[in-house]
Amino acid sequence: MSLRVALDERPEFYTNLDVIKGRVILGLNRSEQVGNIVVKLEGESTTALQVPNPYTIGEIVQRPPGPMPGPPGSVVSENHKILYKVQQVFPDEYHSSTSNPFGAFPLQPGEHTFPFQFKLPINNACSDPNAMAKIGGLGGVGGFGSGGGLFGMGGVRVMDGTKQLLFRHVTRTLPPSLTGYPMEAEIRYYIKVTVQRPGFLKENWRIQMGYKFLPIEPPRPPKTGQEVFARRPFTFRPRSPVPQTKKKSSFFSSKSDKNSQPDTPGASGSPSQNAAPAPSVEMSAWLPHPAVLTCNKAVPLRLIAKKLVDCAEQLTLVSFQMELIGITEVRTHNLFDNKINRWVIASSVDLNIPLTSKPDAAVGSEVTIPDSLWRDKPLPNTVAPSFVTCNLSRRYELELKLGVCWGKAKSGWISNHPQTIYLPLHFASIQVFSGITPPPALVEAARNHTAPGRATMSFPPRLPPRTNVAPAASSQSQNQNQQRPSLPQRPAADPLYPPQLQPGETAPPYDDAPPSYDEAVAENLSGPFDGLQSRPAYSGVTNEDAPSQMPAEKS
């Protein structure tokens, strides 16, 4: 027996609205009774953190808000099924038309091929309680797993979606594939095939194949011409005067020659008069507002040096380094942790770039640093776009380190040693987009979309004051005008699955705003790579077929 999955025209990664086409190839060397063959398209976001011990002696441990999710020292995990689609490829219409009392169909020896096809959605699936409640045969007729057999669907086990109702969810675009945090966090996408063989002593055949996923970018804000900046002024320390010694007199010099030697200027002048003026400069970095970077593209940075004091001394830029800082926020129940990654985008040393146009430049004059230092340095293909999902999120910061030098070292001059300072410039809020442009119809629908389900209150403009004709009637009308419309009633919750309340809450909060893209509109649209643009490089996962590095989930 051999079981494998072959994808048609498999790209480096898939994205939203892509159609995954493939075949399940089953090779048999003898006749087998097969109940059914099910293909699942799954994606999961898993996190695991250790419960701290708040009673550790000699250490200050911050107790998590709310009740402890487990005993101190234990590892708790949270698994969100962000993508879950099921398709039965066997039995087909031909085999289903024949009545078989045993629920199995014979397959003759040889190679059998079963095609399948999925379309990747826009948003995560775990935030839909109605869809999750139908998975596992609990949705009645028409739900996943509602067929015959012990587990539904003729004996093929499906996910119990009711477990997802116990977690907190957000409705967002599917996150990218992410690994690199073993035993703590990962986001994986894979295709799983199950061949169900009826019988108590027969084991089902299974195979799993992973794939990379990179989402489309959200609607870009319109260009406004505005910029955000990070600036830092600095004044160098004044240099000490040069110590000058008297000329040594020879043994044969006369006394009159000794008396006629003039005093050195350094002996009579004060140190403040002989000290060289200290230059001052302001370095500023500018990015378009809002600060959005694109995967596999260079940073649109402008670097400007501004002269602050009237000094003829020249300052030079001797080093430049740009780092992208990725902060991954991990959440498991009420435990939180941050993971920090750094990518060096550009780094140059031994530079000699002047920071003033000329020695006698006016105070306030500016010099733009040439962008050749970072213009040809795109973001590495290991940088994932910014995302937010139920238990994981990724945000970015940008940091520049500039080496500014005053003077140049010369042999024999002690007081002319150069002064070098390294100025940091920091952008605390940076967004990284994937660079995959969504279809124009989807962007237009997202911009014109009105958020349903939210309580919207609109008040008419106030009328000017009027003369009181009937005091009693006017007081009643004023009380009615002052009464604001109440919020709509909440839908009744299922008594079997009551809403989860946070500490201090007496009622569940209103649902979050709907996603940026509408699934109903995206259902009839083609993918972004249907002859419109090429796929960029992305390597967020080292090996998509490698086994999971997360701890086993306790049942």
Side-chain angles (χ1 to χ4, degrees):
M1 186 277 302
S2 65
L3 179 63
R4 59 191 178 94
V5 178
L7 296 179
D8 300 340
E9 299 179 358
R10 180 178 181 177
E12 182 180 357
F13 64 86
Y14 288 96
T15 186
N16 305 100
L17 303 181
D18 273 347
V19 177
I20 301 179
K21 295 182 180 180
R23 293 162 291 136
V24 178
I25 303 175
L26 176 62
L28 299 176
N29 52 11
R30 64 180 181 180
S31 179
E32 287 285 350
Q33 294 287 333
V34 176
N36 55 32
I37 301 177
V38 175
V39 183
K40 302 176 185 178
L41 184 68
E42 299 189 34
E44 55 187 13
S45 173
T46 309
T47 56
L49 293 176
Q50 186 178 16
V51 180
N53 187 2
Y55 308 106
T56 303
I57 300 177
E59 297 182 5
I60 301 177
V61 180
Q62 184 178 4
R63 183 183 179 92
M68 302 287 283
S74 62
V75 177
V76 293
S77 61
E78 186 172 334
N79 189 341
H80 288 255
K81 286 290 184 179
I82 55 179
L83 176 62
Y84 195 83
K85 287 191 173 185
V86 181
Q87 181 180 352
Q88 180 175 304
V89 297
F90 181 83
D92 51 11
E93 296 180 358
Y94 172 77
H95 292 84
S96 300
S97 60
T98 61
S99 59
N100 192 331
F102 301 101
F105 306 92
L107 289 180
Q108 301 302 321
E111 187 174 273
H112 303 269
T113 303
F114 308 96
F116 64 88
Q117 177 176 324
F118 292 100
K119 186 173 184 179
L120 288 169
I122 295 288
N123 305 312
N124 56 323
C126 59
S127 61
D128 188 356
N130 297 328
M132 290 293 106
K134 290 182 179 180
I135 299 178
L138 300 180
V141 179
F144 289 123
S146 59
L150 179 62
F151 300 103
M153 296 192 70
V156 175
R157 182 177 57 187
V158 294
M159 179 189 71
D160 185 6
T162 57
K163 293 183 179 180
Q164 299 293 315
L165 302 179
L166 305 177
F167 300 144
R168 289 185 295 173
H169 302 282
V170 294
T171 304
R172 296 294 180 90
T173 305
L174 287 173
S177 302
L178 186 68
T179 57
Y181 309 103
M183 304 301 291
E184 288 199 20
E186 71 175 9
I187 299 176
R188 296 171 56 88
Y189 293 89
Y190 52 89
I191 299 173
K192 184 187 296 183
V193 178
T194 303
V195 179
Q196 191 266 333
R197 303 168 64 203
F200 289 101
L201 301 180
K202 291 185 178 181
E203 184 180 3
N204 293 345
W205 295 333
R206 294 182 177 89
I207 189 174
Q208 179 176 318
M209 183 181 64
Y211 63 92
K212 296 179 184 178
F213 180 82
L214 185 65
I216 60 176
E217 62 182 25
R220 284 183 177 262
K223 296 182 179 180
T224 59
Q226 300 177 354
E227 291 182 315
V228 295
F229 63 89
R231 62 175 53 159
R232 185 179 294 271
F234 181 78
T235 302
F236 285 86
R237 183 175 56 187
R239 291 172 177 170
S240 59
V242 180
Q244 299 183 7
T245 59
K246 293 184 179 181
K247 183 179 179 181
K248 294 183 179 180
S249 59
S250 62
F251 178 77
F252 300 99
S253 59
S254 61
K255 185 177 181 180
S256 60
D257 295 338
K258 296 181 181 180
N259 296 332
S260 62
Q261 289 181 356
D263 295 336
T264 58
S268 60
S270 61
S272 60
Q273 295 177 355
N274 295 332
S280 180
V281 66
E282 179 187 80
M283 303 299 298
S284 59
W286 299 77
L287 288 174
H289 175 73
V292 176
L293 307 183
T294 307
C295 293
N296 298 284
K297 291 187 178 180
V299 179
L301 177 71
R302 289 198 310 125
L303 194 59
I304 298 177
K306 182 178 180 180
K307 187 176 181 180
L308 298 181
V309 297
D310 188 8
C311 178
E313 295 288 339
Q314 181 65 271
L315 299 179
T316 56
L317 181 68
V318 296
S319 66
F320 172 83
Q321 181 169 315
M322 179 192 302
E323 289 186 357
L324 184 66
I325 305 173
I327 303 175
T328 306
E329 299 178 355
V330 183
R331 183 189 66 82
T332 302
H333 300 285
N334 56 347
L335 303 178
F336 297 88
D337 190 18
N338 289 343
K339 298 296 179 182
I340 299 179
N341 297 85
R342 289 178 176 266
W343 292 268
V344 178
I345 308 301
S347 180
S348 301
V349 295
D350 297 334
L351 302 176
N352 190 18
I353 301 176
L355 299 182
T356 54
S357 58
K358 52 185 178 179
D360 56 346
V363 177
S365 60
E366 297 180 349
V367 172
T368 302
I369 309 301
D371 59 352
S372 58
L373 299 176
W374 62 87
R375 181 180 54 200
D376 300 329
K377 306 293 180 59
L379 298 184
N381 58 2
T382 56
V383 176
S386 306
F387 68 89
V388 175
T389 188
C390 303
N391 54 349
L392 274 174
S393 64
R394 168 70 68 85
R395 59 186 179 88
Y396 288 95
E397 299 177 358
L398 188 66
E399 187 177 64
L400 305 178
K401 295 181 181 179
L402 310 177
V404 181
C405 180
W406 172 29
K408 184 180 296 184
K410 295 181 181 179
S411 59
W413 293 85
I414 301 177
S415 63
N416 202 27
H417 283 179
Q419 297 183 26
T420 304
I421 184 67
Y422 295 93
L423 300 177
L425 300 179
H426 192 84
F427 292 91
S429 179
I430 298 292
Q431 286 185 307
V432 177
F433 284 3
S434 63
I436 304 177
T437 306
L442 187 62
V443 177
E444 187 67 22
R447 290 176 177 173
N448 299 332
H449 182 66
T450 304
R454 275 183 170 257
T456 57
M457 295 180 291
S458 59
F459 303 99
R462 293 184 178 181
L463 297 177
R466 299 180 180 179
T467 57
N468 294 331
V469 179
S474 62
S475 61
Q476 293 179 0
S477 61
Q478 289 179 1
N479 294 334
Q480 292 178 359
N481 292 335
Q482 292 177 358
Q483 292 179 358
R484 296 186 176 182
S486 59
L487 295 176
Q489 295 183 356
R490 303 176 186 271
D494 191 347
L496 295 179
Y497 308 103
Q500 301 297 311
L501 302 180
Q502 298 299 322
E505 290 183 351
T506 58
Y510 280 89
D511 295 336
D512 293 335
S516 57
Y517 293 126
D518 193 355
E519 290 283 1
V521 177
E523 188 67 25
N524 299 324
L525 297 178
S526 59
F529 294 110
D530 292 349
L532 299 179
Q533 54 181 325
S534 59
R535 296 179 188 263
Y538 178 63
S539 180
V541 180
T542 305
N543 184 9
E544 58 270 21
D545 291 324
S548 176
Q549 298 181 348
M550 299 300 296
E553 186 177 1
K554 298 180 181 180
S555 58

